[in-house]
């Protein structure tokens, strides 16, 4: 049996309880993909602490998405949003205590792994 994933949803707008599974695009003009996370903390890190979710297995999520022409699900994407946060440009001689500055993007420049459909 497949493990249950945390799948982001949004209210359908009718004021009732039904929810709509959120989708995304891997880039401008690219095909839509489904979204899933292996933990609630990963979902909230990517989409914010107020993001609603439901638990679904990967096959169940794909069954919901196939009628929409979506055949791919991204699990635990690294970042969600139209712009990537960047580290400030500092002279090499400047000492910086990264642990005191909060969350840090480490390594080389990263690019968004996918963008929410709402952006387009």
């Amino acid at each position: 049996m497949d493990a249950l994933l945390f799948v982001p949803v949004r209210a359908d707008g009718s004021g009732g309880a039904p929810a709509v599974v959120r989708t995304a695009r891997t880039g401008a003009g690219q095909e839509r993909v489904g979204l899933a996370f292996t933990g609630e903390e990963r979902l909230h890190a990517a989409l914010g602490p107020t993001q609603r979710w439901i638990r679904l297995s990967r096959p169940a999520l794909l069954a919901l998405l196939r009628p929409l022409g979506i055949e791919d699900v991204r699990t635990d994407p690294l970042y969600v949003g139209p712009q990537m946060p960047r580290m400030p440009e500092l002279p090499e001689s400047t000492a910086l205590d990264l642990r005191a500055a909060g969350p840090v993007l480490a390594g080389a420049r990263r690019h968004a792994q996918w963008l929410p459909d709402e952006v387009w």
Side-chain angles (χ1 to χ4, degrees):
M1 183 169 140
D2 285 296
L4 293 180
L5 298 168
F6 292 81
V7 178
V9 296
R10 59 182 171 81
D12 73 351
S14 67
V20 178
V21 175
R22 288 188 63 179
T23 60
R25 295 181 188 274
T26 55
Q30 300 295 314
E31 293 185 15
R32 291 165 48 190
V33 296
L35 304 174
F37 296 85
T38 56
E40 184 178 0
E41 66 286 345
R42 290 177 184 246
L43 178 137
H44 288 158
L47 297 170
T50 61
Q51 176 62 52
R52 296 171 57 181
W53 50 266
I54 59 173
R55 300 289 306 266
L56 292 173
S57 67
R58 184 178 177 85
L61 178 56
L62 284 169
L64 288 172
L65 296 173
R66 280 194 186 107
L68 302 172
I70 300 172
E71 297 187 13
D72 187 25
V73 172
R74 297 293 166 99
T75 304
D76 291 333
L78 297 176
Y79 178 78
V80 180
Q83 296 179 353
M84 293 293 295
R86 295 171 48 146
M87 289 293 294
E89 299 294 329
L90 298 172
E92 288 184 27
S93 62
T94 302
L96 180 64
D97 182 4
L98 295 177
R99 292 171 292 181
V104 174
L105 295 176
R109 174 185 272 181
R110 297 181 348 177
H111 299 280
Q113 193 175 29
W114 52 272
L115 301 170
D117 274 347
E118 293 81 25
V119 172
W120 309 109

